[in-house]
Amino acid sequence: MEIKRLELGMLRTNGYIAYCEETKKAVVIDAAAEPEKIKNALCELNLTPEAVLLTHGHFDHILAADMLRKEYHIPVGLLSTEADLLADPKKNCSATFFGAPYGISADELFADGQILPYLDGRFRVIATPGHTEGSCCYYAGNEGVLFSGDTLFAGSVGRTDLPTGRAAALGISIKERLFSLPEETLVLPGHSEETTIGEEKRHNPYVM
């Protein structure tokens, strides 16, 4: 599996294109904004996207999702407990921070532990409530890669003062669910640079 990172939108959100070089199939993880930029990257790599996977429903992670869905006739999916926030401009913060209310519905609602069919079943859903109630990560175990969204960052964690956020739940999600993964697991977060599980277990001051 190959991965291309794109820095998207006014909050410089990380969007990722994960793909198979042989089959040219791909998924877009967190279609944050700038759909033309995402489409150009897919075109340059000659990729056919199978789905848009969202780690959570905040506006800065979803603004290009509906456009990609319509362009490629592909589903948008996220954890089932995040469906309400995704659709609600007040909860997804678009009404407050984006300046224009925005919400969409999901085509697929995932369950914790579900193996997704895309890219030949490479991804497992890990529910990580805390940043939002329905935040999740996508773990490609055979590849040793975790797409952590806004749950875990390099040296930091996601904020919990927005709708449905809970600090206690975030701590449990990271310590019990993410820190149980192999230490060499590459963590690709929703903002800033990549890290590893081992690095965060040893040095992240917010989850000591």
Side-chain angles (χ1 to χ4, degrees):
M1 183 176 74
E2 306 294 329
I3 300 167
K4 182 174 181 62
R5 182 179 73 90
L6 300 171
E7 197 172 85
L8 303 167
M10 62 183 182
L11 296 185
R12 301 173 66 182
T13 302
N14 290 330
Y16 299 95
I17 300 173
Y19 63 97
C20 175
E21 184 61 53
E22 293 182 1
T23 66
K24 295 298 183 179
K25 293 180 179 179
V27 294
V28 178
I29 299 171
D30 284 347
E34 300 183 79
E36 291 300 324
K37 188 173 183 178
I38 300 172
K39 287 164 57 179
N40 288 341
L42 290 167
C43 183
E44 288 172 4
L45 293 167
N46 193 30
L47 301 176
T48 301
E50 297 184 293
V52 173
L53 309 180
L54 303 176
T55 59
H56 63 292
H58 279 155
F59 79 95
D60 61 312
H61 288 252
I62 69 172
L63 291 175
D66 190 49
M67 299 176 197
L68 294 177
R69 167 167 53 189
K70 292 174 180 176
E71 176 77 16
Y72 295 103
H73 306 287
I74 56 176
V76 172
L78 80 173
L79 196 67
S80 60
T81 47
E82 192 76 346
D84 182 58
L85 186 146
L86 179 69
D88 188 331
K90 291 183 179 179
K91 291 182 178 179
N92 70 31
C93 300
S94 61
T96 304
F97 296 105
F98 182 53
Y102 180 82
I104 62 172
S105 61
D107 303 294
E108 297 184 350
L109 299 177
F110 305 140
D112 180 36
Q114 182 175 343
I115 304 298
L116 303 182
Y118 310 112
L119 291 186
D120 300 319
R122 279 182 167 88
F123 294 103
R124 174 165 62 88
V125 180
I126 302 177
T128 53
H131 178 59
T132 63
E133 180 182 5
S135 287
C136 75
C137 300
Y138 298 104
Y139 178 52
N142 289 339
E143 316 287 342
V145 176
L146 179 79
F147 297 89
S148 65
D150 286 4
T151 295
L152 180 64
F153 300 129
S156 188
V157 298
R159 61 189 293 182
T160 57
D161 59 334
L162 299 174
T164 78
R166 292 186 296 131
L170 182 66
I172 293 171
S173 292
I174 294 173
K175 291 178 182 178
E176 296 186 2
R177 310 223 65 193
L178 300 188
F179 282 2
S180 66
L181 300 175
E183 290 201 354
E184 63 271 21
T185 300
L186 179 67
V187 178
L188 300 178
H191 300 274
S192 193
E193 69 271 14
E194 65 187 43
T195 183
T196 66
I197 289 295
E199 176 70 17
E200 299 315 305
K201 285 175 71 173
R202 288 187 290 271
H203 301 298
N204 193 312
Y206 294 94
V207 285
M208 291 297 201

